[in-house]
mmCIF file of all heavy atoms in Angstrom:
data_model
loop_
_atom_site.group_PDB
_atom_site.id
_atom_site.type_symbol
_atom_site.label_atom_id
_atom_site.label_comp_id
_atom_site.label_asym_id
_atom_site.label_seq_id
_atom_site.Cartn_x
_atom_site.Cartn_y
_atom_site.Cartn_z
ATOM 1 N N ARG E 100 113.021 82.371 104.046
ATOM 2 C CA ARG E 100 113.662 81.047 104.021
ATOM 3 C C ARG E 100 113.578 80.444 102.615
ATOM 4 O O ARG E 100 112.521 80.445 101.981
ATOM 5 C CB ARG E 100 112.963 80.123 105.022
ATOM 6 C CG ARG E 100 113.653 78.768 105.183
ATOM 7 C CD ARG E 100 112.809 77.812 106.014
ATOM 8 N NE ARG E 100 112.576 78.263 107.372
ATOM 9 C CZ ARG E 100 113.395 78.044 108.408
ATOM 10 N NH1 ARG E 100 114.528 77.396 108.219
ATOM 11 N NH2 ARG E 100 113.081 78.478 109.607
ATOM 12 N N GLY E 101 114.705 79.922 102.140
ATOM 13 C CA GLY E 101 114.743 79.286 100.838
ATOM 14 C C GLY E 101 114.821 80.240 99.667
ATOM 15 O O GLY E 101 114.874 79.814 98.515
ATOM 16 N N ALA E 102 114.847 81.534 99.950
ATOM 17 C CA ALA E 102 114.877 82.550 98.897
ATOM 18 C C ALA E 102 116.287 83.145 98.798
ATOM 19 O O ALA E 102 117.242 82.637 99.386
ATOM 20 C CB ALA E 102 113.829 83.624 99.174
ATOM 21 N N THR E 103 116.395 84.224 98.038
ATOM 22 C CA THR E 103 117.694 84.837 97.777
ATOM 23 C C THR E 103 117.586 86.355 97.797
ATOM 24 O O THR E 103 116.481 86.914 97.744
ATOM 25 C CB THR E 103 118.223 84.434 96.390
ATOM 26 O OG1 THR E 103 117.302 84.937 95.391
ATOM 27 C CG2 THR E 103 118.368 82.926 96.252
ATOM 28 N N ALA E 104 118.750 87.004 97.858
ATOM 29 C CA ALA E 104 118.781 88.464 97.733
ATOM 30 C C ALA E 104 118.157 88.897 96.412
ATOM 31 O O ALA E 104 117.405 89.871 96.349
ATOM 32 C CB ALA E 104 120.221 88.957 97.848
ATOM 33 N N ALA E 105 118.464 88.153 95.344
ATOM 34 C CA ALA E 105 117.907 88.494 94.031
ATOM 35 C C ALA E 105 116.386 88.424 94.036
ATOM 36 O O ALA E 105 115.708 89.279 93.433
ATOM 37 C CB ALA E 105 118.474 87.562 92.961
ATOM 38 N N SER E 106 115.831 87.437 94.735
ATOM 39 C CA SER E 106 114.372 87.292 94.732
ATOM 40 C C SER E 106 113.699 88.425 95.500
ATOM 41 O O SER E 106 112.636 88.907 95.093
ATOM 42 C CB SER E 106 113.955 85.932 95.298
ATOM 43 O OG SER E 106 114.234 85.822 96.681
ATOM 44 N N ILE E 107 114.294 88.878 96.593
ATOM 45 C CA ILE E 107 113.680 89.999 97.325
ATOM 46 C C ILE E 107 113.868 91.299 96.558
ATOM 47 O O ILE E 107 113.007 92.172 96.583
ATOM 48 C CB ILE E 107 114.208 90.093 98.788
ATOM 49 C CG1 ILE E 107 113.299 90.982 99.655
ATOM 50 C CG2 ILE E 107 115.633 90.584 98.849
ATOM 51 C CD1 ILE E 107 111.991 90.364 100.066
ATOM 52 N N PHE E 108 114.963 91.420 95.804
ATOM 53 C CA PHE E 108 115.141 92.593 94.942
ATOM 54 C C PHE E 108 114.034 92.670 93.898
ATOM 55 O O PHE E 108 113.661 93.769 93.463
ATOM 56 C CB PHE E 108 116.493 92.551 94.237
ATOM 57 C CG PHE E 108 117.629 93.183 95.004
ATOM 58 C CD1 PHE E 108 118.939 92.776 94.773
ATOM 59 C CD2 PHE E 108 117.415 94.206 95.919
ATOM 60 C CE1 PHE E 108 120.004 93.356 95.454
ATOM 61 C CE2 PHE E 108 118.467 94.793 96.613
ATOM 62 C CZ PHE E 108 119.764 94.361 96.380
ATOM 63 N N SER E 109 113.503 91.522 93.475
ATOM 64 C CA SER E 109 112.450 91.549 92.452
ATOM 65 C C SER E 109 111.207 92.290 92.940
ATOM 66 O O SER E 109 110.420 92.802 92.140
ATOM 67 C CB SER E 109 112.085 90.125 92.022
ATOM 68 O OG SER E 109 111.424 89.431 93.065
ATOM 69 N N LEU E 110 111.038 92.359 94.255
ATOM 70 C CA LEU E 110 109.923 93.104 94.842
ATOM 71 C C LEU E 110 110.080 94.608 94.647
ATOM 72 O O LEU E 110 109.096 95.351 94.630
ATOM 73 C CB LEU E 110 109.833 92.768 96.334
ATOM 74 C CG LEU E 110 108.658 93.303 97.131
ATOM 75 C CD1 LEU E 110 107.346 92.722 96.630
ATOM 76 C CD2 LEU E 110 108.855 92.970 98.617
ATOM 77 N N ALA E 111 111.314 95.053 94.471
ATOM 78 C CA ALA E 111 111.587 96.496 94.378
ATOM 79 C C ALA E 111 110.844 97.143 93.218
ATOM 80 O O ALA E 111 110.450 98.312 93.297
ATOM 81 C CB ALA E 111 113.088 96.734 94.249
ATOM 82 N N ALA E 112 110.637 96.387 92.140
ATOM 83 C CA ALA E 112 109.956 96.943 90.966
ATOM 84 C C ALA E 112 108.539 97.415 91.293
ATOM 85 O O ALA E 112 107.991 98.281 90.600
ATOM 86 C CB ALA E 112 109.914 95.903 89.857
ATOM 87 N N GLU E 113 107.963 96.851 92.352
ATOM 88 C CA GLU E 113 106.595 97.206 92.736
ATOM 89 C C GLU E 113 106.541 98.291 93.819
ATOM 90 O O GLU E 113 105.453 98.694 94.224
ATOM 91 C CB GLU E 113 105.861 95.964 93.242
ATOM 92 C CG GLU E 113 105.794 94.833 92.230
ATOM 93 C CD GLU E 113 105.044 93.629 92.781
ATOM 94 O OE1 GLU E 113 103.868 93.797 93.146
ATOM 95 O OE2 GLU E 113 105.643 92.544 92.863
ATOM 96 N N LEU E 114 107.689 98.751 94.280
ATOM 97 C CA LEU E 114 107.720 99.608 95.478
ATOM 98 C C LEU E 114 108.101 101.066 95.220
ATOM 99 O O LEU E 114 108.174 101.845 96.160
ATOM 100 C CB LEU E 114 108.702 99.015 96.499
ATOM 101 C CG LEU E 114 108.260 97.726 97.178
ATOM 102 C CD1 LEU E 114 109.384 97.172 98.046
ATOM 103 C CD2 LEU E 114 107.019 97.957 98.039
ATOM 104 N N ASP E 115 108.356 101.456 93.989
ATOM 105 C CA ASP E 115 108.736 102.849 93.682
ATOM 106 C C ASP E 115 109.950 103.285 94.497
ATOM 107 O O ASP E 115 109.892 104.249 95.271
ATOM 108 C CB ASP E 115 107.567 103.809 93.958
ATOM 109 C CG ASP E 115 106.342 103.504 93.107
ATOM 110 O OD1 ASP E 115 106.515 102.881 92.041
ATOM 111 O OD2 ASP E 115 105.240 103.890 93.506
ATOM 112 N N VAL E 116 111.056 102.577 94.335
ATOM 113 C CA VAL E 116 112.246 102.845 95.150
ATOM 114 C C VAL E 116 113.424 103.361 94.317
ATOM 115 O O VAL E 116 114.580 103.159 94.663
ATOM 116 C CB VAL E 116 112.665 101.592 95.949
ATOM 117 C CG1 VAL E 116 111.672 101.303 97.048
ATOM 118 C CG2 VAL E 116 112.828 100.375 95.037
ATOM 119 N N ALA E 117 113.119 104.054 93.223
ATOM 120 C CA ALA E 117 114.189 104.571 92.364
ATOM 121 C C ALA E 117 115.082 105.562 93.106
ATOM 122 O O ALA E 117 116.255 105.736 92.734
ATOM 123 C CB ALA E 117 113.584 105.235 91.124
ATOM 124 N N ASP E 118 114.546 106.205 94.158
ATOM 125 C CA ASP E 118 115.325 107.198 94.908
ATOM 126 C C ASP E 118 115.956 106.605 96.164
ATOM 127 O O ASP E 118 116.376 107.332 97.067
ATOM 128 C CB ASP E 118 114.462 108.408 95.259
ATOM 129 C CG ASP E 118 113.204 108.038 96.037
ATOM 130 O OD1 ASP E 118 112.851 106.830 96.064
ATOM 131 O OD2 ASP E 118 112.566 108.943 96.607
ATOM 132 N N PHE E 119 116.032 105.265 96.242
ATOM 133 C CA PHE E 119 116.705 104.573 97.347
ATOM 134 C C PHE E 119 117.907 103.806 96.804
ATOM 135 O O PHE E 119 117.889 103.324 95.672
ATOM 136 C CB PHE E 119 115.781 103.545 98.009
ATOM 137 C CG PHE E 119 114.718 104.112 98.899
ATOM 138 C CD1 PHE E 119 113.541 104.620 98.360
ATOM 139 C CD2 PHE E 119 114.870 104.113 100.279
ATOM 140 C CE1 PHE E 119 112.549 105.132 99.180
ATOM 141 C CE2 PHE E 119 113.884 104.621 101.110
ATOM 142 C CZ PHE E 119 112.720 105.139 100.563
ATOM 143 N N THR E 120 118.917 103.646 97.637
ATOM 144 C CA THR E 120 119.948 102.647 97.396
ATOM 145 C C THR E 120 119.511 101.373 98.104
ATOM 146 O O THR E 120 119.177 101.407 99.284
ATOM 147 C CB THR E 120 121.311 103.118 97.929
ATOM 148 O OG1 THR E 120 121.628 104.374 97.321
ATOM 149 C CG2 THR E 120 122.401 102.110 97.595
ATOM 150 N N LEU E 121 119.499 100.264 97.368
ATOM 151 C CA LEU E 121 118.976 99.012 97.900
ATOM 152 C C LEU E 121 120.107 98.098 98.343
ATOM 153 O O LEU E 121 121.113 97.950 97.641
ATOM 154 C CB LEU E 121 118.133 98.300 96.847
ATOM 155 C CG LEU E 121 116.993 99.105 96.216
ATOM 156 C CD1 LEU E 121 116.241 98.245 95.207
ATOM 157 C CD2 LEU E 121 116.048 99.658 97.265
ATOM 158 N N TYR E 122 119.904 97.473 99.490
ATOM 159 C CA TYR E 122 120.828 96.479 100.029
ATOM 160 C C TYR E 122 120.043 95.218 100.320
ATOM 161 O O TYR E 122 118.924 95.291 100.832
ATOM 162 C CB TYR E 122 121.460 96.969 101.338
ATOM 163 C CG TYR E 122 122.379 98.162 101.206
ATOM 164 C CD1 TYR E 122 121.861 99.440 101.063
ATOM 165 C CD2 TYR E 122 123.758 98.010 101.241
ATOM 166 C CE1 TYR E 122 122.697 100.542 100.941
ATOM 167 C CE2 TYR E 122 124.602 99.098 101.123
ATOM 168 C CZ TYR E 122 124.073 100.358 100.974
ATOM 169 O OH TYR E 122 124.901 101.441 100.853
ATOM 170 N N ALA E 123 120.637 94.069 100.027
ATOM 171 C CA ALA E 123 119.999 92.789 100.376
ATOM 172 C C ALA E 123 121.062 91.799 100.814
ATOM 173 O O ALA E 123 121.797 91.265 99.979
ATOM 174 C CB ALA E 123 119.207 92.235 99.205
#
Side-chain angles (χ1 to χ4, degrees):
R100 186 189 298 274
T103 63
S106 68
I107 196 75
F108 272 155
S109 69
L110 187 64
E113 302 181 59
L114 289 174
D115 299 337
V116 289
D118 56 345
F119 285 81
T120 304
L121 306 181
Y122 294 78

